[in-house]
Every structure is written in structure tokens, then in C-alpha cells.
Amino acid sequence: MESTEKAQKTQAVALLKNWLESLGCEISPKVEYPALFNNQLYGMIAKSTIEPKETLIRIKYDAIISTELLQNTELKVIFDAYPEFFSKTNPEGIDNQFLSLIVYEKSKGPASKWALFFDTLPQTIDNLCDWDPDEVDELQDNDLKSDYLIRKDKNIGSYYDLSRILNKYPEFFPNEISVYSIEWCWKIIWTRSFMRSPEHSALIPYADFINHGPSNTGFYFADQKEEEADDEIYYEEYDEMYTNYEILKISCRDLYEINFSAIENVNEDTFEFAKRILVEADVIEKSLKDKKTKKPQKIDDINNSDFLIVTGDTEIYSEGSQIIFEYGNYSNTSLLIHYGFIIPENRFDYFRLKIQLSKLLQPLQLKHLPQKYHKTSFLIFYFSLNELSHNFLRTIRSLLWTQNNRDTSFFSQSDLPLEKKVLLKYAEILNNSLKSYPTTLEQDQKLNPSLSRHNFAITYRIQKKQILKKQIKLSLSALKIINKIYNKNPLDQDEQELSNKELKSYIDNVQYYYDKDQLIFNNP
């Protein structure tokens, strides 16, 4: 059965490749699809050694199905008739248009220009919404379970809405469009499209055969300019989970307001502290905003631009190895939501902490909390494997700060006694999160699940717990290191290594204030 399936896939891909090459597309003779990996995963294989900077695939503009085609599609009459569903005033309007276009082309059957492309696509596509509730429970992630339930209802509702609209136009859709066919098309878009801007998505025949994994192989549109590398990951940009909870995005100004609203005995010194800290809050907010502001590429709406996949500057594929590239900086959470799989040791993975505001506040802060802040609202923080969360540290520090501490320590590590409390609180909160799991990391690591979804779930929660354990270790190690800095004791080899790597940013700041003689040292 497996050999028959592969033979059918091979034949369909051969026909697609011939069509693409007839349009002037280029596919390196060094690559081949389909190849079967791990007896279950189809992917692209290197037929011979592939060197760095080699062009593997070049797909001409005429072969691409993109949102640029929406400029001249005959479906515009439908889009104009239902602006609440398709216009830009709806955040999902462009997505709904593109989905309608794909449904339209797929419904044409052999008459579609892209019929050979559709023939190579999988008949069934699974993502997290296809899991059973008990399978989702194995993830041990209540936020993701909540998202799963909301997303399922939202998707089904959207599919039904679109089917009712499209079926009103038999001149375009002579055969009834089912909810199932819309769902299939939407999954194709989500799992196989490439993006170069929020309003530009494209399905790229043949290029979408390459699987996701750690790689320097890159893909781009020919008219795109090379962007400067940005090593910093802003996890909130990839955290797109739905929730029914009130989520508060707290700023440095908010932290200042919450703290100073709780001060009952206000004097002249308090006002001076407040003025200086408020200025610092605005400086930090401007700096954060500037770091996250990216210059948009100057591209036209319609570019007639080819699409290329090129190996990285140092990447070499040996004969028989699988060719992969990174779809994006996707955590295992995002991969699971959209693609239905996760990868072990994902360098983009993070732990998502959702904590109620009241759990972080001091008693007086809770008592005098300004009305615009709801104590039952939640804050979200993100933790990677190899660096302390600056945002979480800043939040804890500003809420633990009192007038007995230096004004400079409201947002920075210039007061050692305060910083010790911050690190201990940091470790305490994360340790409580780790203990809240129904199983331990050690218990999970002993499991050997046979079913793929169960394996994904175990691997998913293992990596989240590993991040938590590493974060707890980093915070407690930082505490030991700053104590040694104060006591002028030498660091051991492990501490020195942490100071040069994972804790470098944090310890460098502590050292800066120490060297400037701005730290307040009290005996522990």
C-alpha cells in the first residue's frame, strides 16, 4: 500500500515538475521529491552533494498563487457584496479573500491552471484542532487547551459563513461548496503558504515540499532586499493563542503608577523619586519601541516576482540527506497549532507564563490598585532556554521596590539587597509553575509513547519543563554570582561559564553598577 501511495505521488509530482519547467521554472537536478523519511514523512532529498549558496528552486511568478491575484480576480463581485466579511476593515478580510480564491481554483478541477499542483497536495491535513480532547490533555497546557476549543469553534463558524456566501454564486461555483472543502483549502494555506508581509501570502508549487527544521537554507522573493539579521526574538509576535481571560499588557509607566499609588505617606523625597523614575520609564519604553520598529520593505502591490530557495552560506547537504528550511521562528506551540507537529530541542521554543496581576502585587499595591487595572486580569511573560526574562525581572523588581531602595534600582540592578529578593521571587514563581504540572520532567522522560500524537504531546511538555528548570537554575546561579561579586570571591568554572554566556547580559549590568560604586551593599 505504501509503495502504491509513493508511486502515485511520484507520478503526480513528475507531471507538476514538467509543467513548472515549461513555464521557465528551475529545479536543481540535485534535489528530488518524494523521499520517505522515518517511514512516515515525505520530504525532499539531496541526490548528490549540494554546496553552500546553490539555488535549489526558482519558481516563476506565473506559477505562483498569491494574494496579488486578488487585484484582478472575478470574485471581486462577491467581495464587494460582503464587505463585513472580505474588506480590510475585517482583520481577516484578506485571508477570507485568499481562501475564496483557493476554493474557487480547487473547485474548477482539471480546468484550473493549478490543477497539477492541487493533485500533489495531501488529501488529509492534521493540526491541533483535529486532536481529541484527551490527546490535548496530554500536552498539560491549559492555555493551549483553551485556545484549541476557541479556535475549533471559530474556524467551523467561519467555514460555514463562507460556504453560505459562496453557494449564492452558482455562476462561479456550480457545484455546492462544502464546509469540508473550505476547511481543506484553509489548512493548505496555513500549512503551505509563504509570506513576505501581513497582506502578502503565496502558495509556491514544488517549493512547499520541503519540511521544517533547523537550517540556514533560505527562501525569498527576487525583488526583496536582504534584511539585516535580527538575533533578538520577540516571542509575543509569535504568541497568537486565543483566550477568554483579560490579558493586561503592562508598560513601565503602568509599573510606576501601580507602585507609587500604594505609597501612603507622600513627602518631598517621594515626589523627587517619582519624577526621576517616570523619566526612566519613558526612556525604557521608547527604547523598547525603537528596537521592535522594523522598516517596512518598499514593494509594490504587484511585483511579477520569482521565488527562490537557496542554501545557506555554510550549509552543505550530503547525498541522501533531507533538505529542510525554517518556516519561521516558530515555537512548538505555534508549530502544533498550525502544522500539527513539534520538533525536539526547538531553539525557538519558549515557556509561556500566565499569571494573575494580584499574585504579583504587594498588599498595599493591591489595596490601592488604580481602577483602570483589574486585579483579576492576567500578565503574560515569555522564557527561553538560555536567557533570563528581562521583562519579568523588571516587573518583579519594580513591584518589590520601596523608598528604602535607590531610585535607579526601580528598573535596573543597582541595589543588591533588592536584586536578591527579585531573583528569589523569580525562582519561586517559576518553581510553583513547574510543580503545578501533573507529572514531573523525570517521569515524562521515562515514557516511550508509540502513537505520534502522544509522542508529540510528551515531547512538547518535556521541553516546556526543561525551560522552566533551566530558568530556575539560572536565577539561583545569578544570585550566587552576585553574592560572590559583593564578597570579592572568585567564581567557579560553571559560574564563570554562565557569566560569559546565558547570564552575560544580567551579570554585566550588575558588574557595571559595582564598578561604578553605585551598588548598596548590606550584609545578607
Side-chain angles (χ1 to χ4, degrees):
M1 183 69 178
E2 187 177 279
S3 60
T4 302
E5 178 188 348
K6 184 177 180 182
Q8 292 173 343
K9 186 179 286 287
T10 301
Q11 182 179 13
V13 170
L15 292 172
L16 173 66
K17 185 178 179 182
N18 289 338
W19 173 68
L20 291 172
E21 291 176 342
S22 72
L23 295 177
C25 301
E26 302 170 16
I27 299 172
S28 170
K30 294 184 178 182
V31 304
E32 183 177 359
Y33 180 93
L36 197 60
F37 295 90
N38 301 323
N39 296 321
Q40 59 179 350
L41 179 68
Y42 285 107
M44 190 172 289
I45 193 172
K47 294 169 63 177
S48 59
T49 301
I50 299 174
E51 302 291 341
K53 298 183 180 181
E54 283 198 45
T55 298
L56 303 180
I57 297 171
R58 185 183 187 104
I59 303 298
K60 304 295 289 183
Y61 173 80
D62 286 344
I64 295 172
I65 315 177
S66 79
T67 48
E68 293 176 355
L69 299 176
L70 297 172
Q71 302 291 327
N72 299 308
T73 178
E74 54 189 336
L75 298 182
K76 289 188 74 173
V77 63
I78 303 178
F79 304 156
D80 293 341
Y82 293 89
E84 72 282 359
F85 197 77
F86 294 109
S87 73
K88 289 186 179 181
T89 58
N90 180 348
E92 297 172 353
I94 298 298
D95 289 338
N96 291 334
Q97 288 189 33
F98 193 40
L99 174 56
S100 300
L101 177 65
I102 303 304
V103 172
Y104 180 47
E105 289 297 332
K106 181 69 167 62
S107 70
K108 291 180 182 179
S112 172
K113 174 182 176 181
W114 291 279
L116 293 175
F117 171 56
F118 289 125
D119 287 344
T120 64
L121 298 176
Q123 296 302 306
T124 58
I125 306 167
D126 286 347
N127 58 29
L128 185 62
C129 286
D130 298 295
W131 287 32
D132 294 329
D134 59 335
E135 292 174 325
V136 177
D137 285 340
E138 290 294 332
L139 296 165
Q140 298 182 354
D141 188 330
N142 290 331
D143 288 339
L144 191 53
K145 182 176 181 178
S146 175
D147 169 272
Y148 153 85
L149 296 171
I150 297 171
R151 192 177 295 268
K152 284 186 72 170
D153 289 343
K154 184 177 183 296
N155 287 351
I156 292 297
S158 181
Y159 302 152
Y160 273 107
D161 289 342
L162 185 57
S163 68
R164 284 193 291 267
I165 292 173
L166 298 185
N167 285 323
K168 292 179 180 179
Y169 293 85
E171 64 271 33
F172 299 121
F173 303 96
N175 298 316
E176 184 175 358
I177 300 300
S178 68
V179 169
Y180 170 78
S181 64
I182 292 175
E183 180 183 34
W184 182 87
C185 290
W186 181 240
K187 287 182 176 179
I188 288 296
I189 291 173
W190 266 111
T191 60
R192 308 183 86 85
S193 65
F194 295 81
M195 291 182 63
R196 66 173 169 188
S197 71
E199 293 189 357
H200 188 288
S201 296
L203 292 174
I204 317 288
Y206 210 91
D208 65 345
F209 293 150
I210 302 180
N211 291 317
H212 171 80
S215 171
N216 291 319
T217 294
F219 58 87
Y220 59 93
F221 290 87
D223 67 339
Q224 285 184 293
K225 296 179 180 178
E226 185 175 353
E227 296 181 356
E228 293 183 6
D230 185 4
D231 293 332
E232 189 162 1
I233 301 172
Y234 302 108
Y235 295 106
E236 62 270 22
E237 295 180 4
Y238 293 87
D239 184 49
E240 50 193 330
M241 285 198 284
Y242 294 113
T243 180
N244 290 319
Y245 294 102
E246 180 183 353
I247 304 299
L248 174 64
K249 292 186 177 181
I250 199 165
S251 68
C252 290
R253 266 197 169 234
D254 293 325
L255 293 169
Y256 154 82
E257 185 173 351
I258 291 171
N259 189 306
F260 276 85
S261 294
I263 298 177
E264 294 181 326
N265 299 316
V266 178
N267 53 37
E268 187 175 341
D269 288 340
T270 305
F271 280 117
E272 289 300 317
F273 272 20
K275 286 191 294 185
R276 290 195 291 269
I277 290 172
L278 183 58
V279 169
E280 181 66 15
D282 289 340
V283 169
I284 293 174
E285 286 301 318
K286 184 179 184 304
S287 175
L288 292 173
K289 184 178 180 181
D290 291 344
K291 285 175 68 176
K292 293 182 181 180
T293 301
K294 299 178 182 179
K295 294 181 180 179
Q297 288 197 4
K298 296 181 179 180
I299 56 176
D300 299 327
D301 289 336
I302 298 177
N303 298 279
N304 295 314
S305 179
D306 297 348
F307 178 88
L308 294 90
I309 295 179
V310 180
T311 53
D313 293 345
T314 59
E315 194 139 45
I316 298 176
Y317 290 101
S318 59
E319 181 180 348
S321 62
Q322 182 179 189
I323 299 168
I324 54 177
F325 60 64
E326 292 176 344
Y327 295 171
N329 300 345
Y330 290 125
S331 67
N332 280 340
T333 305
S334 293
L335 289 174
L336 200 55
I337 288 172
H338 297 301
Y339 301 98
F341 68 87
I342 61 100
I343 57 175
E345 301 179 4
N346 183 351
R347 67 191 181 102
F348 298 121
D349 205 16
Y350 58 82
F351 176 78
R352 179 185 195 267
L353 174 68
K354 185 185 74 183
I355 185 169
Q356 204 164 47
L357 177 61
S358 61
K359 302 294 185 184
L360 292 173
L361 300 181
Q362 304 303 304
L364 284 178
Q365 293 168 354
L366 192 58
K367 177 182 176 182
H368 296 289
L369 187 66
Q371 288 186 350
K372 67 178 182 178
Y373 305 106
H374 300 146
K375 64 181 181 180
T376 56
S377 61
F378 287 85
L379 306 182
I380 302 293
F381 299 97
Y382 307 95
F383 303 85
S384 65
L385 189 63
N386 295 320
E387 185 180 19
L388 291 173
S389 168
H390 300 297
N391 190 26
F392 194 45
L393 285 169
R394 183 188 301 120
T395 300
I396 296 174
R397 186 182 298 119
S398 60
L399 294 177
L400 290 179
W401 183 91
T402 70
Q403 293 179 85
N404 295 324
N405 302 116
R406 279 196 169 186
D407 58 336
T408 55
S409 67
F410 196 93
F411 292 120
S412 64
Q413 303 102 300
S414 65
D415 191 319
L416 184 58
L418 173 61
E419 205 58 31
K420 292 178 181 179
K421 295 178 182 177
V422 171
L423 290 168
L424 285 172
K425 188 68 174 179
Y426 188 105
E428 176 192 342
I429 292 173
L430 294 189
N431 192 48
N432 288 339
S433 293
L434 185 61
K435 288 181 178 179
S436 69
Y437 279 99
T439 61
T440 66
L441 172 61
E442 292 72 24
Q443 288 172 331
D444 292 343
Q445 290 173 329
K446 293 178 181 178
L447 298 174
N448 187 26
S450 57
L451 299 177
S452 61
R453 288 182 182 177
H454 193 201
N455 182 53
F456 285 151
I458 302 303
T459 307
Y460 176 90
R461 71 198 202 204
I462 281 176
Q463 187 149 2
K464 301 299 183 185
K465 293 172 188 177
Q466 286 175 330
I467 292 173
L468 273 175
K469 292 200 76 167
K470 182 66 177 291
Q471 284 287 323
I472 295 167
K473 176 184 176 182
L474 286 176
S475 57
L476 295 179
S477 296
L479 181 60
K480 291 180 181 178
I481 291 170
I482 61 176
N483 269 324
K484 285 191 173 183
I485 291 174
Y486 165 61
N487 293 313
K488 298 182 180 181
N489 293 330
L491 305 183
D492 62 32
Q493 184 176 348
D494 289 342
E495 292 166 342
Q496 189 62 59
E497 187 172 335
L498 285 172
S499 297
N500 292 335
K501 293 181 180 179
E502 291 100 326
L503 290 174
K504 179 173 175 53
S505 174
Y506 181 85
I507 297 301
D508 281 355
N509 280 329
V510 172
Q511 192 72 52
Y512 167 80
Y513 288 109
Y514 178 83
D515 292 342
K516 293 293 183 179
D517 197 27
Q518 292 179 350
L519 282 170
I520 300 174
F521 290 114
N522 292 321
N523 290 327

